[in-house]
Amino acid sequence: MDKISSIVNEIYELFKDYGVKKSDIEKRVKLLIFEFKVPEEEARRTVINGLRREYEVSRDSLRYPLTKISELEPGKWVSVKAKVLQLWNATSASVAQWGVIGDETGTARFVIWAKSGKKRVEENKCYLFEKVVVDEFGGAKSVKVTSISEIKEIDEEIEVSEGGEIEASGALVSISQNSGLVQVCKSCERITKAGICPEHGKVETIEVLRLRGVLDDGDRTYDVEFSENAIKSLTGIDLATAKKIAYEHLDRGIVLEELKKRLLGKYLRISGEFRLNTINAKSAEFLKVDVSKEVEKILAKVGI
Amino acid sequence: MRLKREVARRVFAKEFNASRFKIGGEVEREPVYLLTPLGLKCNRIFIVGALLEKEETRSEEVLRIRVADPTGSFLGFVGKFDPEARDSLAEIDVPSTVAVTAKAKLLERDEKVTPFIRPESIVATDFETRDYWILETAKATLKRIELMNSENELAKLAKEKYNTKVEEYKEMVILALQKLKEETEISETTEEDFDDSIEEEIMGLNDIY
């Protein structure tokens, strides 16, 4: 009996995304084994083939099961339906395109190898990436598109989850002028000019501490919005301190100057949600590296 | 589709200063890139080094700067069109360690081609940031050196235009790293010396009481 339920479970795993019921699978398996006295292995194969024909599922899609991004496991071959969120400039001749894809369960990186000879994908379009392999790099899951893979554009809108976590490090090469202690509209949080919101006109404003900028590691850039918490852990400045500094100098602009002085051009490591092409950094720290150790490592590599 | 922000590349002064050719800019709105002898295509660069010069030029509205790394120095011009860089530059002393994000440019005059930078932002920074920049730039340069023997299109173009002697640049990277090693070793010993002197100081105090 155990053997039968394990066969049923295995088949169910393969077909559950196609709306096949477990009870239906069990009925078919039991019929073959008990009524027709077919060997277990034969029963398994027959049921799979039958379901495949009935639900028009190709052999490949069983071998490369459709998988949600949050369930990707390194080393597995899968198919993924996802939206291309961001493309980065290729920095190596072996890479045709790379960037970030997302679905309703999260986000992952992807790489299309130059050798795969695939048609180029575009930002904000949705695709079915078939027969791709998953690996992990620096804590981030990455989907590789090789020559056996297939990419098909699909005509459906994928809602990308806001829960996708991403980690990044690089130099903060730019800080937006809309950063610092700024006045925003109470209802939509847009920056106001002389109390005028671009959306709501004359409004009541509130003061918030904001930091938006660009993190750049020499290969790609990330737009980053830092949470107040992240700003505080980097600079010690929170909203209350920012207000105090501004009132002491009778100038809100001084907060932006201070943030620039402390953070512009500094190497940071951040982590947070990736959404709408921006990382919402929940936490941030200055990048710390043992320089002599790293130098030894590189010199050893070049044979010195 | 929105215009993609150009990545700020990491490149040592020696490689940057040997650049003589541009690519791109032929179609409208296509950015112009510098092509370095190691096949780096760059429109923007990020540098951390020593600000050695900050001089007014004849036109007064433009400041000429020089930022040095372990391999040479970057020549730069800060004009009235870069108010952010100009304002912050006013408060920075010479010499000091600075982090610069800049546009990479080529000055072509009388058949002489000179690479230079136009800083977008320039801030005073620390030795730690500079050390990390050297490390990161060394890695990026070695990666390019490795690519010079491949079928990479930019590498092939660079070889064809410059007839690049790769060994020269490999030595440059090794030298930069060795300098960095000496430096960190010095700063580590001084820290120990400092501890020693504190200890002596405390011993001295004990003698008094």
Side-chain angles (χ1 to χ4, degrees):
Chain A
M1 196 59 198
D2 265 359
K3 181 74 186 163
I4 289 172
S5 60
S6 89
I7 291 175
V8 171
N9 281 332
E10 186 200 337
I11 300 175
Y12 178 67
E13 282 302 311
L14 289 175
F15 287 96
K16 64 178 179 193
D17 291 336
Y18 299 92
V20 181
K21 281 202 206 93
K22 207 170 186 171
S23 55
D24 182 30
I25 298 170
E26 195 172 357
K27 218 190 281 167
R28 290 174 192 233
V29 172
K30 281 185 176 167
L31 181 80
L32 288 171
I33 292 176
F34 297 133
E35 301 284 319
F36 290 89
K37 309 287 179 205
V38 170
E40 285 157 354
E41 191 45 37
E42 280 302 321
R44 179 182 157 276
R45 192 169 48 192
T46 310
V47 172
I48 290 177
N49 284 339
L51 287 170
R52 226 168 34 74
R53 268 193 304 275
E54 233 166 278
Y55 289 86
E56 295 180 343
V57 179
S58 72
R59 225 176 262 279
D60 274 349
S61 40
L62 284 189
R63 220 170 283 160
Y64 310 99
L66 200 59
T67 308
K68 295 288 176 215
I69 285 180
S70 64
E71 284 162 16
L72 294 176
E73 281 174 47
K76 288 256 168 75
W77 286 82
V78 296
S79 296
V80 180
K81 238 188 221 179
K83 185 175 189 172
V84 174
L85 300 175
Q86 192 173 41
L87 288 171
W88 295 320
N89 290 334
T91 49
S92 148
S94 53
V95 173
Q97 285 184 296
W98 67 325
V100 181
I101 53 172
D103 69 8
E104 58 275 25
T105 69
T107 57
R109 297 181 186 197
F110 78 99
V111 175
I112 303 177
W113 297 117
K115 274 190 182 158
S116 71
K118 295 289 173 261
K119 230 177 89 185
R120 298 183 78 79
V121 296
E122 287 173 39
E123 271 177 10
N124 296 319
K125 286 194 174 170
C126 299
Y127 298 89
L128 174 62
F129 295 89
E130 284 183 309
K131 304 187 222 173
V132 293
V133 63
V134 185
D135 77 0
E136 201 161 14
F137 185 75
K141 273 172 205 156
S142 171
V143 166
K144 311 280 186 210
V145 177
T146 70
S147 52
I148 73 149
S149 312
E150 271 168 57
I151 306 175
K152 288 174 194 148
E153 194 182 333
I154 49 174
D155 194 20
E156 54 185 278
E157 185 52 31
I158 294 173
E159 287 282 330
V160 175
S161 149
E162 300 177 5
E165 287 277 318
I166 186 168
E167 232 183 65
S169 56
L172 192 65
V173 295
S174 168
I175 290 179
S176 147
Q177 284 301 117
N178 286 335
S179 302
L181 186 65
V182 290
Q183 287 180 300
V184 298
C185 169
K186 206 172 178 182
S187 50
C188 70
E189 300 216 337
R190 282 205 180 92
I191 291 196
T192 55
K193 254 192 192 146
I196 309 281
C197 166
E199 181 75 25
H200 300 99
K202 185 113 184 103
V203 287
E204 215 178 305
T205 61
I206 45 169
E207 276 183 317
V208 294
L209 180 62
R210 257 195 200 160
L211 177 59
R212 284 181 180 164
V214 178
L215 201 70
D216 184 320
D217 68 2
D219 284 331
R220 76 220 113 157
T221 66
Y222 305 89
D223 292 335
V224 185
E225 167 139 19
F226 294 81
S227 68
E228 197 190 319
N229 201 27
I231 301 173
K232 192 182 178 186
S233 64
L234 288 171
T235 63
I237 299 174
D238 57 13
L239 182 60
T241 340
K243 281 184 179 169
K244 213 174 124 208
I245 301 172
Y247 298 153
E248 270 167 16
H249 292 81
L250 298 171
D251 178 13
R252 279 193 199 89
I254 201 92
V255 177
L256 175 57
E257 289 314 308
E258 200 55 36
L259 291 178
K260 279 187 180 169
K261 236 178 239 168
R262 299 197 197 187
L263 298 176
L264 199 55
K266 291 286 194 315
Y267 287 97
L268 308 177
R269 186 197 301 283
I270 60 164
S271 68
E273 287 170 5
F274 185 84
R275 168 160 79 104
L276 301 172
N277 288 316
T278 299
I279 301 177
N280 292 278
K282 271 189 295 205
S283 65
E285 55 180 10
F286 291 105
L287 200 61
K288 289 260 179 277
V289 173
D290 184 339
V291 171
S292 349
K293 213 157 115 193
E294 283 293 311
V295 168
E296 295 289 347
K297 237 198 266 176
I298 306 172
L299 287 177
K301 232 188 199 168
V302 294
I304 298 286
Chain B
M1 210 171 104
R2 78 208 159 89
L3 260 153
K4 216 178 254 315
R5 184 188 163 90
E6 287 292 333
V7 175
R9 306 293 173 186
R10 318 297 203 244
V11 55
F12 284 125
K14 184 182 154 89
E15 179 186 342
F16 181 81
N17 288 335
S19 305
R20 294 291 177 269
F21 300 99
K22 287 187 224 176
I23 39 181
E26 281 148 26
V27 202
E28 206 185 338
R29 293 186 72 190
E30 184 195 7
V32 179
Y33 300 87
L34 229 74
L35 179 73
T36 73
L38 292 177
L40 173 69
K41 179 182 158 191
C42 60
N43 166 277
R44 173 180 278 139
I45 62 175
F46 176 68
I47 315 162
V48 184
L51 178 70
L52 296 183
E53 271 179 39
K54 176 173 86 171
E55 303 289 333
E56 271 185 13
T57 59
R58 268 170 296 180
S59 84
E60 275 181 35
E61 280 176 336
V62 179
L63 291 172
R64 189 189 67 236
I65 61 162
R66 203 167 269 287
V67 178
D69 73 8
T71 72
S73 67
F74 295 89
L75 169 68
F77 294 99
V78 180
K80 59 176 172 180
F81 299 113
D82 314 290
E84 196 188 336
R86 216 190 141 93
D87 290 351
S88 40
L89 189 58
E91 291 176 19
I92 303 172
D93 295 328
V94 174
S96 41
T97 306
V98 290
V100 186
T101 307
K103 286 287 181 182
K105 301 273 177 187
L106 274 186
L107 182 72
E108 289 164 292
R109 196 187 288 161
D110 311 328
E111 292 180 24
K112 211 182 144 218
V113 184
T114 317
F116 70 97
I117 59 168
R118 281 240 337 243
E120 298 167 302
S121 74
I122 176 165
V123 280
T125 192
D126 46 34
F127 292 152
E128 241 182 338
T129 305
R130 180 210 49 203
D131 289 352
Y132 189 76
W133 179 83
I134 296 173
L135 199 66
E136 175 185 69
T137 307
K139 277 192 208 167
T141 310
L142 287 173
K143 214 166 135 190
R144 290 198 282 278
I145 290 174
E146 214 169 286
L147 270 182
M148 284 302 276
N149 291 318
S150 74
E151 286 301 298
N152 181 299
E153 265 173 48
L154 288 168
K156 280 200 290 196
L157 188 64
K159 259 193 285 193
E160 182 193 308
K161 296 260 189 195
Y162 294 99
N163 193 18
T164 314
K165 293 189 183 69
V166 170
E167 277 308 308
E168 202 180 300
Y169 290 101
K170 202 168 168 179
E171 275 165 32
M172 166 193 83
V173 174
I174 291 168
L175 222 65
L177 287 173
Q178 281 170 339
K179 269 191 205 172
L180 184 58
K181 213 170 86 180
E182 282 164 24
E183 221 156 8
T184 49
E185 271 159 19
I186 291 169
S187 56
E188 272 158 26
T189 46
T190 44
E191 208 164 287
E192 274 165 34
D193 290 349
F194 185 63
D195 284 347
D196 286 350
S197 55
I198 290 178
E199 213 165 291
E200 274 167 35
E201 197 78 3
I202 295 170
M203 299 300 274
L205 284 176
N206 284 342
D207 285 347
I208 297 173
Y209 292 104

